[in-house]
Amino acid sequence: MPSIHSSPFHQMETSSFSSLLQHTTNQEKRSKTPRGITAGGILKMFKLLPMLTSGCKMVTLLARQRKNLLTDNATTGTLFGHRRGRVSLAIQEDPHRPPIFVIELPMSSSAFQKELASDIVRLSLESETKTSKKKVLEEFVWGVYCNGRKYGYSIRRKQMTDDEFHVMQSLRGVSMGTGVIPGLSEKDTTIDGELTYMRARFEKVVGSKDSEAYHMINPEGAEDGQELSIFFVRVH
């Protein structure tokens, strides 16, 4: 793991930081995904998306299913965006309900693809709020880091955009995977490129009232899978 000098992690309490980092993805419970598909495989497939155009029909069919496909309590995390646009992050406690957190990151899709070249991907969001009356994910302004590199600031959405709502609706029946979603209009697709997504299940770990982490769940036995963790830290 690279040295994280610009990351907010050094400002956290030692106990909270240790609690968040101890939950590695290789120790998670089995995910309800088809055999042979690992969380690391999802990241690898996401890197190949510029060469893939299939998956649209499958996503559409899954979105039409009304029966709840997911019954466990794992959190669902989705990273998505147009190829020539920015990456957005949505976190859902239930993929059939609106996200509890949506934000457009100050990272282009190409920059995020480069970060995925690492075996370990640490995406961290830091809030510099002076109050702790809100829950961590209720804060609005976030500094965004990926693998120790600061990319800038973003503001959490109060309401989803049309594109974001379209993605959430299209992926209601998808628990884990990567693919391409038909855009809302041909014009958007022509200008910004295809709308791609990566969705996975995450274990939520609460380090303190000011820190939470979400670790991507690997199926049992997926020891060689890449790791993806998302950290939310409130710094006073």
Side-chain angles (χ1 to χ4, degrees):
M1 178 176 176
S3 177
I4 304 179
H5 298 293
S6 59
S7 169
F9 293 155
H10 69 280
Q11 301 178 39
M12 297 172 58
E13 295 179 358
T14 303
S15 59
S16 299
F17 177 64
S18 299
S19 175
L20 293 175
L21 287 181
Q22 281 175 356
H23 290 70
T24 60
T25 55
N26 291 330
Q27 298 173 335
E28 307 301 339
K29 299 179 180 179
R30 183 181 299 275
S31 174
K32 296 185 178 180
T33 54
R35 288 187 178 182
I37 297 178
T38 67
I42 289 176
L43 291 181
K44 292 176 182 177
M45 287 296 292
F46 193 67
K47 297 176 189 178
L48 295 175
L49 278 176
M51 295 181 286
L52 301 176
T53 58
S54 61
C56 299
K57 292 183 179 180
M58 181 60 70
V59 170
T60 302
L61 290 173
L62 287 171
R64 291 175 182 171
Q65 296 185 20
R66 296 182 180 180
K67 182 179 179 181
N68 289 347
L69 301 180
L70 310 174
T71 57
D72 58 65
N73 295 321
T75 300
T76 298
T78 309
L79 289 154
F80 60 95
H82 289 279
R83 297 191 194 281
R84 292 188 290 274
R86 291 189 175 185
V87 176
S88 293
L89 167 67
I91 295 177
Q92 296 167 278
E93 294 179 344
D94 182 342
H96 300 276
R97 296 181 179 178
I100 60 173
F101 185 91
V102 180
I103 193 169
E104 182 182 76
L105 304 176
M107 298 176 63
S108 65
S109 295
S110 59
F112 185 64
Q113 293 280 348
K114 291 179 181 179
E115 294 291 356
L116 287 178
S118 304
D119 291 334
I120 299 176
V121 180
R122 306 290 195 206
L123 181 62
S124 55
L125 283 75
E126 173 188 310
S127 172
E128 299 176 353
T129 182
K130 300 298 182 180
T131 178
S132 59
K133 293 181 180 180
K134 298 179 181 178
K135 295 181 180 179
V136 176
L137 266 62
E138 292 178 348
E139 300 297 346
F140 281 99
V141 182
W142 296 90
V144 178
Y145 302 76
C146 189
N147 287 345
R149 180 182 302 175
K150 187 171 183 179
Y151 279 86
Y153 290 88
S154 286
I155 298 177
R156 176 175 67 86
R157 301 279 197 207
K158 290 185 178 180
Q159 294 183 337
M160 288 186 288
T161 64
D162 291 342
D163 262 352
E164 292 162 349
F165 182 78
H166 171 64
V167 171
M168 295 297 101
Q169 286 292 100
S170 299
L171 298 179
R172 283 179 301 170
V174 179
S175 61
M176 178 179 285
T178 64
V180 178
I181 303 173
L184 285 175
S185 67
E186 293 185 4
K187 180 180 178 181
D188 291 340
T189 301
T190 301
I191 296 175
D192 298 324
E194 292 177 304
L195 183 58
T196 62
Y197 76 90
M198 180 182 74
R199 169 167 282 202
R201 314 305 305 286
F202 288 79
E203 181 197 17
K204 176 182 176 180
V205 180
V206 178
S208 70
K209 65 178 181 179
D210 296 318
S211 61
E212 292 183 6
Y214 293 81
H215 300 285
M216 187 170 67
I217 297 174
N218 275 319
E220 185 177 338
E223 297 181 356
D224 296 329
Q226 289 178 295
E227 295 182 14
L228 170 61
S229 295
I230 304 172
F231 297 86
F232 293 90
V233 182
R234 180 162 49 199
V235 180
H236 295 284

